Amino acid sequence: MQDKTLRMYGGIWGGLVPISVLVITLVWLSVAQRGGTKPFWACAWLALVCGLFFARDKADYCKAAMRGIGDTTGIVVVTAWLFAGVFGKVMAAGGLVNGLLWLGMTTGAQGAIFTVTVFLMAMLFALGTGTSTGTCIALTPALYPAGYFLGSDPVLLALAILSGAAFGDNLAPVSDTTIVSAYTQGATMREVVRSRFPLALSAACIAATIFLIFGGGGEAKALPEIDAALNPAGLGMLVALVVVVIAALRGRHIIEALIYGNITAAVIGIIIGTIKPGGMFSIPEKAGASTGIIQAGIEGVVGAIIFAIMILAVTQILVECGIMNKILAFAQKSVVATVRQAELFIVGLTILASIPISANAPAELLVGPSLVRPMGEKFRLAAARRANLMDCAVCTIFFTLPWHIVVASWYGAIVNAAETYGITAPPISSALYNPYSWALLSVLLFSISTGWNRRFAESDGAPESA
């Protein structure tokens, strides 16, 4: 960070131009249901270009943007995403979907029981792959029609998939939101996963209860096409997830843990026959073709990586203009005076940042380093606690709004599955009732109001101001 303040024409209003252009264009694309990490590149590019003309010193402005792009936190996030993207692709290619489907179908579960089972399967898949969007796209074509014909309520059945995806995005060590929240706050993955588990599990139990009570009511019918897709061997891929989680909990660096997980997943996939020996990497038959799963995994996160880098450039300009310090000073002086108020400020600010943007990890990047971290540090909140407040916040309202990319992907998959089997699909507005998201928000507010799960940086038993 530079001591010199980046001077802008118009003062604070000129400094707000880049972020204003970014948010307006993000909302525009999102409301038009054209959002996504690649379309968002143009939004960030326009934001940086427009801001340049308000900078008094153009060279200082460019250097500030470059300092943001080269930020250490951003480098860690980008590198972790590269390995997490490959891990998700290997898990899917290894047959995890068919293995989870076999587990649910062979238990004889029907109606509400199957709805709960779908929720659990989506939780496991999202926990293993770290992608909420990928979970919805991968599981919906099989699980939605299966549950429909096994007597599940269509709305709750669809929401069980979305809720499970939100759980994995909230807790998985390989999730982009987990990685961003941890490293923007200077927390280790071990601290984050251990301390976040009670929050996520509590919300999951509440959601599972709702699915169990209201998830039935349909008529069970046989569906041979789904039986043909069953393959228990795919469950072996869960071993790779266990490897990643154990490595992270033992204090290994997240990239090291992901490398171990990738190797384990590839070996298991080859052993059980779901991945060909050359499937991970091989010389393509023609130029331009993919070299295999590794390339596909990296390609899958390139969009998010480039957008994250550009977001870091925009936020660095905000910081060096002094705007973030002014907002923080105002909040500390006029709004925030206690630990509870600080935590409410963090949660509220993060939720607000996630509402207009159709991807939730960039929302964390927007507020995490510049507002959440200094606010939490002032009240000596532990790094993992700050990360948990922020990560849980972006997994609440975010998973209920239809212009967000994961909700749009989820609903598109639901409609496609319904059309394929000639069954009905719930309206997209049903996402507003996502049980896990509302349960997580309730758990989060309970934790803030009571102090449960709160940790301080120097002493767990530090006194708090009411």
Side-chain angles (χ1 to χ4, degrees), residues 200-437:
L201 185 62
S202 298
C205 290
I206 296 172
T209 302
I210 294 173
F211 290 128
L212 185 61
I213 295 173
F214 302 105
E219 181 182 354
K221 301 176 183 178
L223 191 59
E225 292 88 344
I226 291 181
D227 289 335
L230 304 182
N231 183 5
L235 289 175
M237 302 304 292
L238 290 174
V239 174
L241 170 61
V242 173
V243 169
V244 173
V245 172
I246 290 177
L249 291 178
R250 288 177 63 86
R252 300 291 185 177
H253 194 282
I254 183 59
I255 295 173
E256 180 184 358
L258 284 169
I259 290 175
Y260 295 151
N262 274 291
I263 294 173
T264 303
V267 170
I268 292 174
I270 292 173
I271 291 175
I272 65 178
T274 53
I275 296 177
K276 296 179 180 179
M280 294 295 295
F281 175 80
S282 62
I283 305 298
E285 295 182 0
K286 58 181 181 180
S290 175
T291 58
I293 296 173
I294 296 174
Q295 179 179 333
I298 294 174
E299 287 176 343
V301 296
V302 166
I305 286 174
I306 293 177
F307 184 54
I309 289 173
M310 298 179 80
I311 283 284
L312 288 168
V314 174
T315 53
Q316 186 69 20
I317 291 168
L318 279 178
V319 170
E320 296 200 20
C321 285
I323 293 173
M324 291 302 195
N325 286 337
K326 290 181 185 296
I327 295 174
L328 191 62
F330 172 79
Q332 292 174 341
K333 181 179 179 180
S334 307
V335 181
V336 179
T338 67
V339 172
R340 289 190 183 92
Q341 290 173 352
E343 292 191 334
L344 285 172
F345 173 82
I346 290 171
V347 169
L349 183 71
T350 307
I351 289 176
L352 285 175
S354 72
I355 288 175
I357 304 175
S358 67
N360 52 359
E364 291 182 322
L365 282 170
L366 199 61
V367 300
S370 54
L371 289 174
V372 172
R373 185 165 185 169
M375 174 63 76
E377 286 177 343
K378 178 186 177 183
F379 289 89
R380 297 190 296 108
L381 288 172
R385 175 64 173 179
R386 301 192 306 265
N388 291 343
L389 291 171
M390 189 167 61
D391 194 285
C392 289
V394 296
C395 291
T396 56
I397 306 300
F398 179 85
F399 279 91
T400 68
L401 301 177
W403 60 79
H404 289 157
I405 188 169
V406 61
V407 177
S409 300
W410 161 79
Y411 189 67
I414 291 291
V415 170
N416 288 337
E419 291 176 348
T420 299
Y421 290 93
I423 57 182
T424 59
I428 193 170
S429 59
S430 60
L432 294 170
Y433 307 105
N434 185 344
Y436 179 78
S437 291

Side-chain angles (χ1 to χ4, degrees), residues 94-262:
L96 181 58
V97 174
N98 291 337
L100 292 173
L101 184 60
W102 172 86
L103 181 65
M105 297 291 285
T106 55
T107 59
Q110 295 183 356
I113 299 297
F114 189 78
T115 303
V116 175
T117 304
V118 167
F119 177 49
L120 295 175
M121 287 191 285
M123 286 169 58
L124 283 173
F125 187 86
L127 197 62
T129 61
T131 167
S132 53
T133 302
T135 297
C136 294
I137 293 173
L139 296 186
T140 299
L143 295 185
Y144 182 72
Y148 187 95
F149 287 103
L150 286 173
S152 297
D153 177 83
V155 173
L156 271 298
L157 174 64
L159 288 176
I161 299 172
L162 184 60
S163 289
F167 173 88
D169 198 26
N170 182 209
L171 187 63
V174 296
S175 165
D176 55 356
T177 60
T178 302
I179 292 169
V180 171
S181 65
Y183 287 100
T184 57
Q185 300 309 304
T188 67
M189 196 59 63
R190 176 182 181 181
E191 295 170 337
V192 166
V193 173
R194 280 185 172 179
S195 57
R196 189 175 301 164
F197 183 76
L199 299 171
L201 185 62
S202 298
C205 290
I206 296 172
T209 302
I210 294 173
F211 290 128
L212 185 61
I213 295 173
F214 302 105
E219 181 182 354
K221 301 176 183 178
L223 191 59
E225 292 88 344
I226 291 181
D227 289 335
L230 304 182
N231 183 5
L235 289 175
M237 302 304 292
L238 290 174
V239 174
L241 170 61
V242 173
V243 169
V244 173
V245 172
I246 290 177
L249 291 178
R250 288 177 63 86
R252 300 291 185 177
H253 194 282
I254 183 59
I255 295 173
E256 180 184 358
L258 284 169
I259 290 175
Y260 295 151
N262 274 291

Side-chain angles (χ1 to χ4, degrees), residues 1-2 4-9 11-18 51 54-55 61 64 314-326:
M1 179 64 64
Q2 302 293 303
K4 181 181 176 183
T5 300
L6 180 63
R7 299 171 64 243
M8 307 287 285
Y9 292 112
I12 188 173
W13 301 109
L16 286 171
V17 167
F54 286 82
Y61 179 91
V314 174
T315 53
Q316 186 69 20
I317 291 168
L318 279 178
V319 170
E320 296 200 20
C321 285
I323 293 173
M324 291 302 195
N325 286 337
K326 290 181 185 296

